[in-house]
Amino acid sequence: MRQTSINEGSRGSSRSGRDWSVRALAVVLAAVAAGAVLTGCGRNEGVGTVTGKAIPSEVLASRSREQAKVSERLAAEAGAEIEPAKQILFGDLHVHSTFSVDAFMMSLPIFQGEGAHPVSDACDFARYCSALDFWSINDHAESLSPLRWQQTKEAIRQCNAVAGDPADPDLVTFLGWEWTQVGRTPSDHYGHKNVIFRDTGEDSVPRRPIHSAGFAAVNMKRQAPLLIRMSVPLLDPANTQRYWNLGELQRAMRETPDCQPDVDTRKLPDDCLEGAATPEVLFRKLNEWGFDSMVIPHGTTWGIYTPALSSWDKQLKPAQHDAGLQRLVEVFSGHGNSEQYRAWTAVEIDEDGTQVCPAPSDGYEPCCWRAGEIIRGRCEDPSSAECEQRAATARRLFIEAGTAGRLTIPDAPIAEWGDCGSCPDCFLGSMYYRPLSSVQYQLALSNFDGTADASDPNRFHFGFIASSDNHRARPGTGYKEFARLLNTESNGPRDKKWLDRMFGDPVPPAERTPEAESVNPYDGSVVGYRVVDFERQSSFFTTGGLAAVHSSGRSRDAIWDALERREVYGTSGERMLLWFNMLNGRDGELPMGSDADFGATPRFRVRAAGSLRQAPGCPEWTATGLEPDRLETLCRGECYNPTDERKRIERIEVVRIRPQKRPGEPVELLIEDPWRTFACDDNGDGCMVEFDDPDYMRGGRDTTYYVRAIQESRPRINAGGVRCDDAECNDARPCYGDYRTPKDDACLEPAAERAWSSPIYLRYDR
């Protein structure tokens, strides 16, 4: 087959390109219905059985006592009274099992997977390995058949039944799903949102999950050709049953009818698949049920599936935002940080309305620009006009391919793309970073449509959490940095033979000539998750974050109430303690998450303490609740195992955002990050700072404040991304998820762990 030279400007097909994106679905779904359709051997793998006992009460009491000591010490330093009895509890509100199709694919032998990871594994892992206080299951609704939804509910009830006294359980487990929406263009892209429910009883939760009715839902049902369906089980006969089981998972989705649209959700039958194409429809359906629920956006800057100019402006329109349901946002996960705004974008719009590739700025290199430089490097004379034309064509083709841009040069190795598209000065920023969807950008927005008072526009008032987004039923993976292929989402072919089978040789050796540069532009015919760039993404996956709540107790209701009032914060994975209060509210102190009218100079106090250093192995009490074999299978010899020594807090950073006061006000002028920085002299006892803002009264405008507590660095999986050895990242050393990087290489680089408080939102009292 003749390859197309980029300087000819023609467009071919890239289906032969070596990328996780094009052939991945065809091969990963190679077993689709192979057993179920042809032999009837595929079976539903089920949710497993929760085997662990409740954690000993003394273990829980010791955690509470240790926290109380820190709180009392920092309160005494501030000369403050001890706060009412609240404790900080840690959880993970973003967890997948192999009921999610993508998680199932990761678990397959060809991807170095280790078999099924059912919901019951997540329960025992949360209780014994990561020692969490709460967690939720969030399998993709697009892959939950009526049977699997019913099994999920039963498994969650089983996990809660083990927890002991409901008023003081060892672990609270919430039921939920993920609404996994992907749009082709910025105008129809809304992104991913988790849905969780307060209660788990049959009369307190929906009879069906609600999927996104888009590419994800369609791709879950799509059947591969017969030859493909037969090939993989035959090539890997020792694991035939698992491929058949994947076929059964998809067969159940394909054969379940879609629910009738625009019908009250309570009147629909139980055995249909219900969809909501926009947040507006999702919110409407949840409100029709009337159950206590929350919708939590996540991965908002994750550009691997997000169109380059996708912005959260459209989600602030009254129909697309329900402030009662959408009270929290996930600022960090194992997929990266979504907090920070930057003024650059991956593409720009010229005066003719055409998307063009911007030049690098502020250390950021757009991937469209890198595409041009890759082609320039193949020119005999890089400075020639002909070479510049070829580079310009490469940039244009990259933009036209959208999220499949890397397919336009299929023979370019991962290292040649460097760290293009990443946020170079962000903390663990997500790959292909989209700043117009960042949390800071969201908080700076105002929408003046449909408001009776132009001085009181619609705004996002989110509380901040973090979670893992783990797809191996392992909630709270950030407690220790080990087992990269289990505790992060990195995965890939187990050997070169499978790499070649799945992706082939992008350019046959006979066709590699300087004249024909072996560039095969992507033609746009493959859409959805088949163009996801997971090969490169494996260098950006890290262990996950945690959600922390200031709770009046350990009960389900106490935790839920803390989530609702936004008295929550997120951490990058370690259990740092953080308090952020406004001291001079009209009725006394206001905690993080508060929203108030105020007309004086505000004064704030921050208290923070580092996480407890970890001892190797697992604490003795874990052996009393789980059988040794299961403990080893789940925890791999490493559990949350705190010592008495705390890590140091190095500094406190304050971020100030003054939301738009008029339509079109430039956002980059409204976000001050950091606005203030305070060094901490912490010897392990924590850090306390106080500050005020005299500009609040002088500026006379609404203002939002939140803080970050920055802890001393520790080695962290994939903290170095593609591991650049120079400023231009010409010598990247990717951390592959496949056989090219050894399993025992954790790809560790230093990272300063952190905690993000929920904001305090002040409306200027006129």
Side-chain angles (χ1 to χ4, degrees), residues 54 95 147 230 277 305 470 651 679 738:
V95 183
L147 172 61
M230 290 297 297
Y305 59 79
N470 182 268
R651 65 187 184 276
D738 57 39

Coordinates of all heavy atoms in Angstrom, one line a residue, residues 54 95 147 230 277 305 470 651 679 738:
A54 N -15.6 -6.5 59.7 CA -15.5 -5.1 60.1 C -14.1 -4.8 60.8 O -13.6 -5.7 61.5 CB -16.6 -4.7 61.0
V95 N -14.8 5.0 41.6 CA -14.2 3.7 41.5 C -14.9 2.8 40.5 O -16.2 2.8 40.5 CB -14.2 3.0 42.9 CG1 -13.5 1.7 42.8 CG2 -13.5 3.9 44.0
L147 N -29.4 -6.5 34.6 CA -28.8 -7.5 35.6 C -27.7 -7.0 36.3 O -27.6 -7.2 37.6 CB -28.5 -8.8 34.8 CG -27.7 -9.9 35.6 CD1 -28.6 -10.4 36.8 CD2 -27.3 -11.0 34.7
M230 N -13.4 -14.3 16.3 CA -12.8 -15.6 16.5 C -11.3 -15.6 16.8 O -10.8 -16.5 17.4 CB -13.1 -16.5 15.3 CG -14.6 -16.8 15.1 SD -15.2 -17.8 16.5 CE -14.1 -19.3 16.2
A277 N -28.7 12.7 26.9 CA -27.7 13.2 26.0 C -27.0 14.5 26.5 O -25.9 14.8 26.1 CB -28.2 13.5 24.6
Y305 N -10.1 13.1 25.3 CA -11.4 12.9 24.7 C -12.1 14.2 24.5 O -13.2 14.3 24.0 CB -12.3 11.9 25.4 CG -12.6 12.3 26.9 CD1 -13.5 13.3 27.1 CD2 -11.9 11.8 27.9 CE1 -13.8 13.7 28.4 CE2 -12.2 12.2 29.2 CZ -13.1 13.1 29.5 OH -13.4 13.5 30.8
N470 N -10.0 4.8 39.6 CA -9.3 3.5 39.4 C -10.2 2.6 38.8 O -11.4 2.5 39.1 CB -8.8 3.0 40.8 CG -8.1 1.7 40.6 OD1 -8.7 0.6 40.7 ND2 -6.8 1.7 40.4
R651 N 4.4 24.9 52.8 CA 3.8 26.2 52.6 C 2.3 26.2 52.4 O 1.8 25.1 52.1 CB 4.5 26.9 51.3 CG 4.1 26.2 50.0 CD 4.9 26.9 48.9 NE 4.6 26.3 47.6 CZ 5.1 25.2 47.1 NH1 6.0 24.5 47.8 NH2 4.7 24.7 45.9
A679 N 5.2 30.7 54.0 CA 6.1 29.6 54.3 C 5.8 29.0 55.7 O 5.3 29.7 56.6 CB 7.6 30.1 54.3
D738 N 3.0 -1.1 28.6 CA 3.1 -2.4 28.0 C 4.5 -3.0 28.4 O 5.2 -2.5 29.3 CB 2.9 -2.4 26.5 CG 3.8 -1.4 25.8 OD1 5.0 -1.3 26.2 OD2 3.4 -0.7 24.9

